[in-house]
Amino acid sequence: MIKLQKWYEKTEADTGVVISSRVRLARNLADVPFSVRMDSSNSDDVVQRVKHSAISEQTALAIQPHHMQFLDLAHIPNWDLNVLVERHIISPNMVDGKHYLRGLVYNETEDLSVMINEEDHIRIQSIFVGQDLDAAYEAANRLDDALAVSLNYAFDAKFGFLTSCPTNTGTGLRASCMLHLPLLESTGQLKSLADMIVKTGFVIRGANGEGSDPLGNIYQVSNQITLGKTENEILNSLKQLVNQIVDRETALRVRVLKDMNTEAADRIWRAYGILCNARKMTLKEATGLLSDIRAGQIMGIIEKPITKKTIYEIITNIQPYNLQRIMGVANDTRHLEALRADYLRQTFVN
């Protein structure tokens, strides 16, 4: 299993509402059938070609200071694949029992990667801490340009980059921001906000994307339209939308501090007490309590660090597969709640 300093272990002191910014580029090779018509020989060809291009010296020079390495996903256990899913390095689609080979190219901090043979032949992903879509896109675009030197992409002069799913055709760009929205959620404003967002060509979902529930009041906002818009238009529209959401969440936080300071502080410190003492903890309860702690940090109710780990790192670490890996057990699903409580006590008491 890869052991890296993950992007989400970096400081979150100045991220505020926006936890991370992510850019994903979908690409396919022009001379290979798309995934719905791919066979094992096709898939092996794609893996080898993309692998050699991505880890070549030419690509390394183009994307400095990043250095890419390869992981053969077809020959590692599903258990380890699920660890990567929980860390948002690969998608759940990469775990499914496909008839073709799959691979991952990634850098040492896991903030730049290429999924090979997901829904498309190539899925380039870049993740940056905080609100920095431009930097995320610049990193993904540099890697994209480097791969394009030796790989012939499926591209149409009228429609743009061709993809397995028509909704990705055009720029092939999906940009998203991960947001912590505890007060918009608790005041019931999130549903009306989500309905408004859909009308603008964007969508708000749980932290793990389509069909997922929010963990710790963490939501993902992303574009739905890639055709007929330029990359800059998509990024600028998303930035404007995110700024509006940030303003609304921040205004609610100011109001809470003004009108309910004692109640807010009591709730947050009670959350801390439970995390330090509980012997069993569900994922839903734990992420809710961690959300309260994070809100307390941002609002200044908690004035000094209470753990060396970031809250988002902790939320990642208490998910089932990562939790078992960290606690040194495997396939121990019967005792997950106890393991989770043990991990949280160790994290907050120490």
Side-chain angles (χ1 to χ4, degrees), residues 36-47:
V36 291
R37 295 184 177 275
M38 184 183 292
D39 60 29
S40 59
S41 62
N42 295 144
S43 64
D44 184 51
D45 180 42
V46 172
V47 169

Side-chain angles (χ1 to χ4, degrees), residues 7 19-20 22 85-88 92 125 127 176-180 204-222 287 312 315-316 319:
W7 66 268
I19 296 171
S20 64
R22 179 170 66 173
V85 171
E86 291 177 351
R87 282 151 62 179
H88 296 285
Q125 176 175 269
I127 307 177
S176 64
C177 285
M178 204 82 77
L179 310 176
H180 182 221
I204 184 166
R205 298 181 173 122
N208 294 319
E210 186 173 0
S212 66
D213 294 324
L215 290 175
N217 299 308
I218 295 173
Y219 291 86
Q220 181 187 113
V221 180
S222 62
T287 54
Y312 194 76
I315 288 176
T316 301
Q319 315 234 358

Side-chain angles (χ1 to χ4, degrees), residues 102-315:
R102 309 175 307 280
L104 174 72
V105 181
Y106 60 96
N107 69 346
E108 62 276 8
T109 50
E110 294 185 1
D111 52 16
L112 186 63
S113 60
V114 182
M115 286 184 285
I116 308 174
N117 285 338
E118 202 246 20
E119 184 178 66
D120 295 289
H121 296 152
I122 299 169
R123 287 283 179 92
I124 299 170
Q125 176 175 269
S126 175
I127 307 177
F128 271 61
V129 173
Q131 192 169 354
D132 206 347
L133 279 167
D134 290 334
Y137 175 71
E138 193 274 335
N141 191 49
R142 276 196 296 149
L143 179 54
D144 182 38
D145 288 344
L147 296 180
V149 172
S150 57
L151 300 175
N152 182 23
Y153 288 156
F155 184 85
D156 181 85
K158 180 179 179 181
F159 294 107
F161 292 103
L162 304 180
T163 55
S164 294
C165 180
T167 59
N168 291 322
T169 295
T171 60
L173 168 65
R174 292 283 178 172
S176 64
C177 285
M178 204 82 77
L179 310 176
H180 182 221
L181 305 174
L183 293 178
L184 282 170
E185 169 66 36
S186 64
T187 57
Q189 298 183 40
L190 204 57
K191 185 180 186 307
S192 61
L193 180 63
D195 292 339
M196 180 274 292
I197 288 173
V198 168
K199 296 176 183 178
T200 66
F202 292 85
V203 65
I204 184 166
R205 298 181 173 122
N208 294 319
E210 186 173 0
S212 66
D213 294 324
L215 290 175
N217 299 308
I218 295 173
Y219 291 86
Q220 181 187 113
V221 180
S222 62
N223 66 301
Q224 289 185 296
I225 300 172
T226 65
L227 184 62
K229 291 181 177 290
T230 68
E231 290 86 353
N232 284 336
E233 287 172 339
I234 293 171
L235 293 172
N236 288 335
S237 295
L238 179 57
K239 284 187 285 186
Q240 292 174 12
L241 176 59
V242 167
N243 286 336
Q244 293 173 17
I245 298 173
V246 168
D247 288 344
R248 291 179 65 167
E249 175 71 21
T250 302
L252 288 171
R253 291 175 180 179
V254 172
R255 188 185 307 170
V256 165
L257 282 175
K258 180 180 178 181
D259 299 337
M260 299 182 292
N261 193 15
T262 301
E263 290 83 353
D266 182 67
R267 174 172 174 165
I268 288 160
W269 285 112
R270 282 178 182 271
Y272 177 72
I274 294 172
L275 290 168
C276 289
N277 293 285
R279 263 46 186 178
K280 292 182 70 175
M281 187 82 65
T282 66
L283 180 61
K284 182 177 180 179
E285 181 185 11
T287 54
L289 295 170
L290 290 167
S291 174
D292 288 341
I293 295 294
R294 179 64 181 138
Q297 292 173 329
I298 294 171
M299 291 190 289
I301 293 173
I302 297 176
E303 296 182 353
K304 62 180 181 179
I306 56 178
T307 172
K308 294 180 180 179
K309 293 180 172 62
T310 69
I311 295 301
Y312 194 76
E313 179 188 356
I314 297 170
I315 288 176

Side-chain angles (χ1 to χ4, degrees), residues 29 31-32 44-54 151:
L29 303 184
D31 57 345
V32 180
D44 184 51
D45 180 42
V46 172
V47 169
Q48 296 305 319
R49 288 164 63 181
V50 176
K51 168 189 172 182
H52 289 305
S53 178
L151 300 175

